[in-house]
Amino acid sequence: MGITGRVGRLLGSGRASDVYEIDEAWVLRRDREGYADGLAEAALMERLRAHGYPVPRVRLADSTRSELVMERLYGPTMLEAFVAGRIDARESGDILARLLRQLHALPGRVVHLDLHPENVMLTPDGPYVIDWANAEEGDPGLDWGMSAVILAQVAMADEQFAAPVRTMLTTLLADPSDLTEDGLTEARRRRAANPTMTAREVEVLGEAEELVRSFMA
């Protein structure tokens, strides 16, 4: 049924959605672009949480296709913590790798397909993964490929973060991963088709793929 009209201040905005305060315990994520299915996402998050994976609690009865009501997490995103010097590139890459391995060990072959530092919240209870709008059942190799290509795009497109993000990528792929040739190829294809990407992000995709491929050699 949704809770439109009962939300408070805007807490943050992403490329396709806005997050509003409900109270100290809950927030509302409202989809602006029509990409997400809040009900399907909430059901998946409940399932993952039941298996012990670190995702926010959800209120399925109050969610709709365009509005997801979920637990309010306290703490910075991994990106915010990295920029503030509270976490370094190696630790960031290690956390991402651990979260991917933990997810792929669960039943159901769930892949996140957008796991990067802006979608990990560092709370007092540990890292939590948010934004499951792209999740599906699929090949872990694609999930590793998506995370790697996203980081590689940043390394190629943003001079300020190029060196530390390369370190993050090195750490992500240092431990034996499930990244595959097919996964990398499909990850590049999906990133190229992503309507929320900037022209610069699309422009560096080829270089990003080659950077990731250099870790596979």
Side-chain angles (χ1 to χ4, degrees):
M1 59 180 179
I3 59 170
T4 301
R6 290 156 48 194
V7 298
R9 65 190 175 97
L10 178 68
L11 296 175
S13 295
R15 298 192 187 200
S17 61
D18 303 303
V19 177
Y20 295 90
E21 177 183 60
I22 296 176
D23 54 34
E24 292 184 356
W26 300 95
V27 295
L28 172 75
R29 193 202 68 199
R30 180 174 292 153
D31 178 28
R32 292 193 312 270
E33 307 293 338
Y35 298 139
D37 182 345
L39 291 174
E41 198 171 341
L44 173 61
M45 290 168 71
E46 282 193 328
R47 179 175 133 206
L48 293 172
R49 185 174 172 80
H51 285 290
Y53 197 76
V55 298
R57 291 177 294 147
V58 296
R59 284 181 7 205
L60 189 55
D62 288 328
S63 299
T64 67
R65 185 176 176 83
S66 62
E67 296 184 342
L68 173 61
V69 178
M70 61 183 174
E71 179 183 5
R72 184 171 182 175
L73 300 176
Y74 288 88
T77 66
M78 181 187 287
L79 177 61
E80 291 168 340
F82 174 74
V83 170
R86 295 169 58 181
I87 185 173
D88 65 24
R90 286 183 176 82
E91 188 177 359
S92 299
D94 182 66
I95 291 171
L96 291 173
R98 188 168 70 246
L99 288 168
L100 283 170
R101 286 194 295 271
Q102 186 179 350
L103 176 62
H104 301 153
L106 300 179
R109 290 178 58 85
V110 175
V111 289
H112 185 278
L113 302 183
D114 200 21
L115 188 57
H116 57 76
E118 287 184 275
N119 283 335
V120 178
M121 299 280 292
L122 301 181
T123 78
D125 296 320
Y128 274 67
V129 180
I130 60 173
D131 196 354
W132 293 84
N134 293 337
E136 60 185 55
E137 292 185 2
D139 181 3
L142 173 59
D143 219 3
W144 284 90
M146 292 295 285
S147 292
V149 169
I150 290 168
L151 290 179
Q153 282 179 281
V154 176
M156 291 300 175
D158 193 325
E159 267 188 42
Q160 177 186 359
F161 292 113
V165 171
R166 280 175 180 262
T167 298
M168 198 180 300
L169 183 61
T170 301
T171 307
L172 173 70
L173 299 177
D175 195 280
S177 74
D178 288 321
L179 178 61
T180 61
E181 180 70 33
D182 287 346
L184 177 56
T185 300
E186 176 64 7
R188 177 180 173 172
R189 186 194 71 77
R190 293 197 184 202
R191 289 295 285 172
N194 187 327
T196 70
M197 289 211 310
T198 66
R200 178 60 178 156
E201 287 172 321
V202 174
E203 181 184 331
V204 301
L205 257 175
E207 295 171 276
E209 181 183 7
E210 288 309 308
L211 176 59
V212 175
R213 197 176 298 282
S214 71
F215 291 96
M216 301 173 67

